[in-house]
Amino acid sequence: MSFPEIKSTHSLVAKHVTAEKWEKLGSHKTATSGFTLGQAIACAVQFDDQHCGIYAGDWDSYKDFADVFDPIIQEYHGISADAKHTSDMDFSKITGNVNPEAPVHSTRIRVGRSIDGFGLSPGITREQRVGVEKLFSSASKKFEGELAGTYYPLTGMEESVRQLLVDDHFLFMSGDKNLQASGMERDWPEGRGIFHNVDKTFLVWVNEEDQ
């Protein structure tokens, strides 16, 4: 497999995907979704405007292609090779500086989560994507109280429902060149959907974008 021409010559991919690393990793496929380094760097290869230019196809990608991902992540985030991620869920430590004379009328908290054993959007297989949707669709039926609501699959969605979700600024769309090149829009719109509770204060995008 020949070394690809990386059009984003100033990207982190161009800096860290060397011919030597390509020779070592170029033919490897991950166990979870059969993802390759070529797929991971597709955006940097196809376009000339990328800064990073790389997407992980599954959890394996970070380990199997560590020779590429580790230095890119370290340089992008400005962290050392031995840096460790820490989590602190104690909300009492959160302090704010909201001016009481200019109160907040609305806010949004966004959290992304993936499921062990399933690929991420760039590498997830068609069967895995449908499996994620089925898991969530089933789980969402058990939501109670203020979380209770309805899941709307994009496949077969009625126009009236689609327009309402657009008007509410809930619906995610296809057409982004980076998402297409990286493989995130394969089999569109199958396996994707949106859930929201009755009050429209709790929203879940299923198989939208995460890498």
Side-chain angles (χ1 to χ4, degrees), residues 32-99:
T32 297
S33 60
F35 200 67
T36 67
L37 182 59
Q39 290 173 284
I41 66 172
C43 285
V45 171
Q46 294 184 37
F47 308 125
D48 61 4
D49 58 354
Q50 303 293 298
H51 173 54
C52 282
I54 192 167
Y55 292 87
D58 44 34
W59 180 88
D60 317 42
S61 299
Y62 294 107
K63 303 299 181 183
D64 294 3
F65 308 126
D67 289 350
V68 172
F69 273 96
D70 283 358
I72 288 178
I73 291 171
Q74 290 158 22
E75 182 169 345
Y76 182 81
H77 291 287
I79 58 176
S80 63
D82 59 355
K84 301 293 183 182
H85 177 75
T86 58
S87 296
D88 188 345
M89 305 301 289
D90 184 357
F91 68 88
S92 67
K93 296 179 181 178
I94 299 175
T95 58
N97 59 353
V98 178
N99 185 342

Side-chain angles (χ1 to χ4, degrees), residues 150-194:
T150 304
Y151 175 67
Y152 302 92
L154 266 62
T155 300
M157 180 178 288
E158 295 182 2
E159 174 58 25
S160 59
V161 174
R162 190 198 69 82
Q163 189 59 54
L164 180 60
L165 292 170
V166 169
D167 294 342
D168 286 335
H169 304 288
F170 287 171
L171 190 66
F172 55 90
M173 310 293 289
S174 64
D176 182 276
K177 69 172 187 177
N178 293 307
L179 301 187
Q180 292 173 335
S182 63
M184 293 193 215
E185 293 195 359
R186 289 169 294 119
D187 310 311
W188 182 274
E190 185 181 32
R192 284 102 169 164
I194 297 174

Side-chain angles (χ1 to χ4, degrees), residues 97-107:
N97 59 353
V98 178
N99 185 342
E101 299 302 318
V104 175
H105 290 287
S106 67
T107 187

Side-chain angles (χ1 to χ4, degrees), residues 107 144-150 152 165 168 170 195-203:
T107 187
E144 300 178 344
E146 64 180 359
L147 298 181
T150 304
Y152 302 92
L165 292 170
D168 286 335
F170 287 171
F195 171 92
H196 67 71
N197 64 347
V198 175
D199 294 333
K200 299 182 178 180
T201 56
F202 175 62
L203 173 71

